Amino acid sequence: MTEANRVNVIRHSILERVARAYLEKGVEFGSELDKIPYQMRPKGSQYNRCCIYKDRAIIRFRCVAALGFRIEDEEDDSTPLEVYARKALQRKSPSAPILTVCDIACQGCVPARFFVTDVCQGCIARPCEGACKFGAITRVRGKSYIDPEKCRNCGKCHDACPYQAIVRLKVPCEEACPVRAIQKGANGHAAIDSSKCTSCGRCMRACPFGTVIERSEIIDVLSTLKSGVHMTALIAPAIVGQFPASLGKVIEGLHELGFSSVLEVANGADITSRNEADEFVERMEKGEKFMTTSCCPAFVTAVKRHVPEVLPFVSNTGTPMHYTAQLAKEANPDTVTVFIGPCVAKRFEALEDEYVNYVLTFEELSAIFEAAGISVGECAEAPLERVPSGDGRGYAISGGVASAVKNVVGDRAEVKPVFVSGLSLSGLRKLKTYATGPCPGNLVEVMTCEGGCVGGAGTMGDPGKNSRAIAEFAKGGK
């Protein structure tokens, strides 16, 4: 795990330690978990918070999430992690909500607002004061001052200042959320409104304090693997470039973990392309204005919860994960399917999909490989069970879905794609205008994460570099 972001390093270390405890101790692994906070922050070591004890408390809470539980549900923080371990082994299936908040890890950032810095020169022209339409800027001790009660955060003063002395203070998690599902709670700390949340995980990646955490399914997967039942790993196209090894070596690593079968989700993407192309042609023949893609679960949830006007235009076609899991169940009805991908929102989608049992992110798979002592770079090259098209493998990159659908549509209809790479509040409003007014195209591809799935919250490394690796790999498809 080579990652400069310290929050990611801590998260990865906890996942790896929890996985290793189970792999080494089996059902008795709980006794090892309570040691983790002390192993990661031993006496006399450096700490990130006010004291070593707060560091340990936060690590403990992160272990609770790694075991698959909501931190907000805990009533007694003296409950041993061993108790949670036993409950995790008794759990029948995952549940929502997907994200959880570690309250004591939250910095309680100041509200987002515009602020005058010491760079202000107190100039005579006062362009900032003239630009403000709300009378929020006055002169105080020779410098400009913004009254937060009057300010409407329009940014006109920021644009007008010739010295760039006015800056916008941001709250990273709130800034990252495309639907304003995360706000400050009663105590001034972050709180997620589950009725608004799309489970995209962008707040989790944005918070520099590691306050937002996803509830992991690592123990669910490892305990099922240990039971000896048939299991199928469904690997998303974005996996290319995530590990320092070829896809064949990663597949061999999955077999060494105990997976009976491994399928590329790009196979399901090929089915999605065919079905979505047929649906697109049918909709255009009926005279509909446009159709959006449906493979991004965070986008579909955002439409349902925030812009229902767009819902009639969303494709009814299943996602690549759905179709690949269906292929796995058709081949072996008793298999347990595990989607492995870049997306936190896939956990939410899986809860409603009869063919998908569990979801792991690439980051979690990396932690499991390390815990099991598997170096994928040293694994043998495993053959692919079935080779998908290059278009299917390109689904991980922005533009890939629309391109694949367009290729299948062929000359049956004119395809004019519109791309939304990185969903935002303004993007949702724009989609709403498409539903109520004119649309610049007729096939709207929407990816919640910038750059596509390759920029998902469960990925590792540089998205740009990984995108290039995926594009190159896709050329090798049939």
Side-chain angles (χ1 to χ4, degrees):
M1 175 74 176
T2 56
E3 175 62 70
N5 188 316
R6 287 296 303 164
V7 170
N8 294 352
V9 172
I10 294 169
R11 179 172 61 235
H12 183 88
S13 179
I14 290 172
L15 291 170
E16 188 269 334
R17 289 168 185 269
V18 170
R20 177 153 36 91
Y22 180 80
L23 290 171
E24 292 179 354
K25 299 294 183 178
V27 296
E28 302 298 326
F29 80 113
S31 60
E32 296 296 307
L33 301 183
D34 287 298
K35 301 175 185 177
I36 292 177
Y38 301 91
Q39 292 169 343
M40 293 184 67
R41 293 293 181 273
K43 185 177 180 179
S45 64
Q46 292 186 335
Y47 44 86
N48 297 319
R49 308 287 173 155
C50 60
C51 63
I52 196 171
Y53 306 106
K54 188 168 185 177
D55 262 21
R56 288 172 178 171
I58 292 172
I59 291 171
R60 177 190 169 278
F61 279 126
R62 296 193 71 91
C63 287
V64 170
L67 290 168
F69 298 97
R70 288 186 79 229
I71 296 171
E72 296 93 331
D73 292 339
E74 185 171 67
E75 297 179 355
D76 184 357
D77 59 9
S78 67
T79 302
L81 290 174
E82 186 174 6
V83 173
Y84 285 103
R86 288 197 297 269
K87 290 181 179 179
L89 293 174
Q90 296 167 0
R91 185 167 50 231
K92 300 300 180 184
S93 61
S95 61
I98 306 304
L99 299 173
T100 184
V101 175
C102 181
D103 181 79
I104 65 169
C106 183
Q107 183 71 1
C109 304
V110 298
R113 60 188 174 91
F114 283 93
F115 176 77
V116 181
T117 69
D118 290 340
V119 178
C120 177
Q121 301 298 303
C123 58
I124 297 173
R126 302 185 190 180
C128 57
E129 191 173 332
C132 181
K133 305 300 182 183
F134 308 102
I137 301 180
T138 56
R139 183 67 66 92
V140 177
R141 291 190 292 274
K143 303 280 187 177
S144 292
Y145 168 76
I146 300 175
D147 184 343
E149 296 298 321
K150 295 180 180 180
C151 179
R152 295 296 180 270
N153 290 311
C154 67
K156 297 289 187 182
C157 58
H158 170 274
D159 297 337
C161 178
Y163 295 101
Q164 297 181 327
I166 300 176
V167 298
R168 184 172 184 271
L169 301 178
K170 301 178 180 179
V171 179
C173 61
E174 294 180 14
E175 192 78 12
C177 181
V179 292
R180 289 182 177 168
I182 186 166
Q183 300 286 338
K184 296 186 185 304
N187 61 357
H189 289 178
I192 297 176
D193 185 339
S194 298
S195 67
K196 295 180 179 179
C197 181
T198 65
S199 304
C200 68
R202 280 166 51 174
C203 58
M204 179 183 79
R205 296 291 281 190
C207 178
F209 292 93
T211 299
V212 185
I213 313 166
E214 62 177 315
R215 298 166 60 193
S216 179
E217 297 171 24
I218 277 185
I219 295 303
D220 306 73
V221 172
L222 289 178
S223 61
T224 307
L225 280 170
K226 198 157 191 172
S227 71
V229 302
H230 190 283
M231 294 188 72
T232 302
L234 315 172
I235 51 176
I239 197 169
V240 176
Q242 293 292 313
F243 296 90
S246 65
L247 180 61
K249 290 178 179 289
V250 175
I251 290 174
E252 179 59 29
L254 288 166
H255 285 308
E256 290 185 20
L257 280 177
F259 282 97
S260 314
S261 179
V262 181
L263 287 176
E264 280 191 74
V265 173
N267 288 291
D270 287 337
I271 299 175
T272 294
S273 297
R274 293 194 295 270
N275 292 346
E276 204 149 77
D278 291 341
E279 183 182 356
F280 174 80
V281 171
E282 182 179 345
R283 284 176 178 250
M284 293 305 102
E285 288 176 346
K286 290 180 179 178
E288 295 188 22
K289 286 192 299 183
F290 69 93
M291 183 185 82
T292 80
T293 55
S294 59
C295 62
C296 177
F299 158 63
V300 175
T301 302
V303 169
K304 291 178 178 177
R305 296 183 174 182
H306 300 279
V307 281
E309 298 88 349
V310 179
L311 192 57
F313 299 94
V314 177
S315 170
N316 296 313
T317 298
T319 67
M321 178 180 79
H322 168 80
Y323 288 125
T324 310
Q326 187 175 23
L327 289 174
K329 296 286 188 180
E330 288 172 352
N332 188 327
D334 296 325
T335 194
V336 174
T337 56
V338 182
F339 174 82
I340 302 173
C343 181
V344 175
K346 283 293 182 184
R347 296 195 197 279
F348 188 76
E349 180 190 339
L351 295 178
E352 300 178 344
D353 194 314
E354 61 179 316
Y355 298 116
V356 184
N357 297 107
Y358 299 112
V359 172
L360 291 178
T361 63
F362 295 143
E363 183 180 40
E364 289 171 320
L365 178 60
S366 174
I368 292 174
F369 277 146
E370 286 190 30
I374 296 174
S375 175
V376 290
E378 298 175 2
C379 289
E381 192 82 23
L384 302 178
E385 293 188 24
R386 51 194 299 169
V387 181
S389 72
D391 280 347
R393 287 172 170 168
Y395 262 55
I397 308 171
S398 178
V401 180
S403 176
V405 173
K406 182 178 181 178
N407 289 340
V408 178
V409 169
D411 58 4
R412 290 184 289 165
E414 181 184 11
V415 179
K416 295 181 290 184
V418 177
F419 305 103
V420 178
S421 176
L423 198 60
S424 63
L425 284 168
S426 61
L428 285 173
R429 286 193 288 267
K430 177 65 70 174
L431 287 171
K432 186 175 180 179
T433 66
Y434 293 166
T436 57
C439 178
N442 58 8
L443 179 62
V444 183
E445 179 198 280
V446 185
M447 296 289 192
T448 296
C449 298
E450 188 172 350
C453 303
V454 72
T459 58
M460 304 176 292
D462 176 63
K465 182 179 179 180
N466 293 339
S467 293
R468 292 189 291 273
I470 292 168
E472 187 63 30
F473 183 69
K475 293 178 182 178
K478 291 190 294 185

